[in-house]
Amino acid sequence: MLERGLRVLLVASECQPLAKAGGLGDVVAALGKALARRGHEVRVVLPLYGWIDPERVAARLVGPLRVPMGTGDEGAAVWSARLDGGVETVLLEHRRFYDRPQIYGDPGGDDAWRFGFLSRAALEIALEAPDVPDVVHAHDWPSAPATAYLAHLRESRAPLAGTASVLTIHNLEYQGRFAAAAWPYLGLPAEELASERFEDLGGLNLLKGGIASADALATVSPTHAREMLTPPGGHGLEPFLAARAADTTGILNGVDDELWNPETDALLPRRYSVHDLRGKSACKRALQERLGLEPRADVPLFGIVSRFAPQKGLDLLIAALPPLLEQGEAQLVVQGSGDAGLESFFRELAGRHPRRAAARIGYSEEMAHAIHGGADFFLMPSRYEPCGLGQMYALRYGTLPIVRATGGLADTVVDAASPGGDGTGLTFTAPTPDALGAALRRAVECWYVRPSLIARLRRRAMAQRFSWDAAAARYEAVYAAALAKRGRHGVRRSDTVSGAAAG
Ligand code: ADP
Ligand code: GLC
């Protein structure tokens, strides 16, 4: 029994504000802070990407690191920065791998080497610490191999014998599938190249290897934890996930209240709360003016902030959206990038209706906040969505989400027509333009015909709390289960923590 906080090493390819391509970056940062607030000693291992300036984040050089890869030792350097929230961020410097303008490379590039190295280096970082971590917690395919490295290093490196591993799956579409050419470099034992482990159709699958090795698994919503056990939710990995179902927990992500709170959000032109929504009207007007839209309070403004990936179902809007704009019943603002066809669809739509639609192609954290603050409805018609953060931010900002009821979207948004009278947005089921079109028409009709319903939905939406503290408490239970696999039963955190963890 341990009368102290756990030592947790989070290993990830993203952690905001230093590196973010999607929700993974938000989650790693917020989970780290929430665990630290609950009394755990948290460190995050992240590559020192080219755009991260160690001086600007006040990082100190800890020293050089030798990492034994399969083809020989690889040199690196380790920096340490303490970002807000008390979490130590360990930055792994390896110029050839990480001094690039993007987090992920093109398929066919050297990402297997880059992230295999991150996974293996994290274990050397764990060993260099005065006290090794109790838990190594990997996220998605880029750090999944860390769980396999740990499984084998436990035999040769005694301090790691009691360290448990946890793998959180954020997105099964991205599995880290590579040609077998990287295998010798990774330096994992030959038995790991089995079809139920890292081998996949003659190549490598880094996520699959991690699924086989982790002591415990998590994914980012309860509904997705069930969905991923059957096709198409498992993206081909369902048999391997089903084999680990007893060790898998669905834990809904939270909302980082320090970053996403309309009462304090410095990126909004005006702040507001559920008690006084005048600020939200001001945010809408400011957004309309900035985008060149007609500054009308009476027309509903639909917002989108998203990667333009097939997962997000934005193609369903191609048929459903134009009629609303043509009839002047709605306005639209889109922020995002990705699929070239969707980029030009939104650009052309905005070109055709410059006073009713605006398309911002690219990435802007600031515009994302402005849209959450200024829009009336937030669109997320995802084909699948393990958790989804956009709809949770939208709820908090009183921007009613219109979502397909899948994964985390089904766990967080209640339809306006819910018999329990607890609606917070609009949901639809079939992944078709017709079903989405019907949901959009329902939203527009509610807006014009039932303003009191809109006000009630908005109040309930803004009262929802998706707490990272609750999520961190559930991760504590996952850590305890993983530690039990290592023979460490009844692991108890410090007094202040254990009470909360029991709840
Ligand atoms: P995913 O991780 O699948 O992209 P999530 O909803 O979990 O989906 O998280 C997406 C995160 O990325 C949110 O914080 C969202 O605001 C942000 N985001 C996505 N696209 C953009 C963009 N173009 N500009 C700014 N933020 C974006
Ligand atoms: C993934 C998923 C998204 C989830 C995010 C953070 O990218 O697509 O649904 O919210 O990870 O867990």
Side-chain angles (χ1 to χ4, degrees), residues 101-403:
Q102 272 164 354
I103 297 176
Y104 307 108
D106 297 326
D110 61 353
D111 278 359
W113 282 261
R114 299 171 70 222
F115 294 107
F117 178 71
L118 168 70
S119 301
R120 181 62 186 81
L123 274 304
E124 289 307 310
I125 290 168
L127 281 159
E128 293 232 324
D131 297 297
V132 298
D134 298 299
V135 176
V136 170
H137 185 169
H139 295 266
D140 274 354
W141 71 265
S143 52
T147 64
Y149 285 123
L150 174 60
H152 295 282
L153 286 172
R154 277 189 199 119
E155 290 157 28
S156 54
R157 310 284 284 271
L160 290 175
T163 299
S165 66
V166 172
L167 171 64
T168 294
I169 296 170
H170 297 260
N171 199 328
L172 280 162
E173 188 178 350
Y174 308 95
Q175 298 179 7
R177 299 177 69 164
F178 301 99
W183 187 250
Y185 176 78
L186 296 181
L188 280 160
E191 72 249 33
E192 288 290 341
L193 199 57
S195 61
E196 69 282 5
R197 304 188 75 84
F198 280 91
E199 193 274 339
D200 193 358
L201 300 172
L204 307 179
N205 185 320
L206 301 191
L207 185 64
K208 184 151 84 63
I211 289 168
S213 298
D215 291 313
L217 297 161
T219 188
V220 288
S221 70
T223 293
H224 190 62
R226 291 189 296 276
E227 286 170 348
M228 72 184 192
L229 300 181
T230 50
H235 292 264
L237 294 186
E238 48 279 353
F240 307 98
L241 292 161
R244 301 293 322 262
D247 299 317
T248 305
T249 312
I251 301 180
L252 193 71
N253 290 327
V255 169
D256 185 340
D257 203 50
E258 288 170 19
L259 298 176
W260 293 98
N261 178 350
E263 294 171 41
T264 53
D265 189 337
L267 296 173
L268 292 183
R270 269 269 296 279
R271 276 149 292 284
Y272 59 92
S273 75
V274 68
H275 308 295
D276 183 353
L277 285 164
R278 284 173 300 180
K280 183 155 180 69
S281 309
C283 287
K284 177 174 177 179
R285 190 176 176 100
L287 184 61
Q288 287 169 321
E289 282 173 354
R290 175 176 175 187
L291 298 170
L293 304 179
E294 266 182 277
R296 288 179 60 173
D298 61 325
V299 175
L301 174 56
F302 288 76
I304 295 171
V305 179
S306 184
R307 296 185 290 121
F308 294 173
Q311 165 192 355
K312 301 296 175 184
L314 297 173
D315 53 297
L316 302 174
L317 288 164
I318 293 175
L321 203 51
L324 292 183
L325 295 174
E326 274 146 28
Q327 285 145 28
E329 290 173 311
Q331 295 183 345
L332 173 75
V333 50
V334 184
Q335 169 78 54
S337 66
D339 179 84
L342 278 171
E343 289 185 2
S344 51
F345 164 70
F346 286 122
R347 272 205 186 99
E348 278 165 26
L349 199 62
R352 238 178 307 136
H353 306 283
R355 300 288 280 158
R356 292 176 189 163
R360 293 292 177 107
I361 305 304
Y363 188 92
S364 162
E365 196 79 32
E366 189 266 332
M367 184 51 105
H369 284 252
I371 291 173
H372 280 289
D376 297 301
F377 294 98
F378 190 81
L379 292 175
M380 259 176 108
S382 306
R383 290 176 192 282
Y384 79 92
E385 196 62 75
C387 177
L389 298 173
Q391 84 285 7
M392 295 200 277
Y393 300 156
L395 289 165
R396 188 77 183 83
Y397 283 64
T399 307
L400 301 179
I402 301 176
V403 304

Side-chain angles (χ1 to χ4, degrees), residues 378-382 385 387 390-392 394-395 399-415 424-430 435-436 439-440 442:
F378 190 81
L379 292 175
M380 259 176 108
S382 306
E385 196 62 75
C387 177
Q391 84 285 7
M392 295 200 277
L395 289 165
T399 307
L400 301 179
I402 301 176
V403 304
R404 192 169 98 74
T406 181
L409 299 174
D411 290 340
T412 52
V413 181
V414 179
D415 188 77
T424 54
L426 289 101
T427 69
F428 65 100
T429 309
L436 172 56
L440 294 179
R442 228 165 23 106

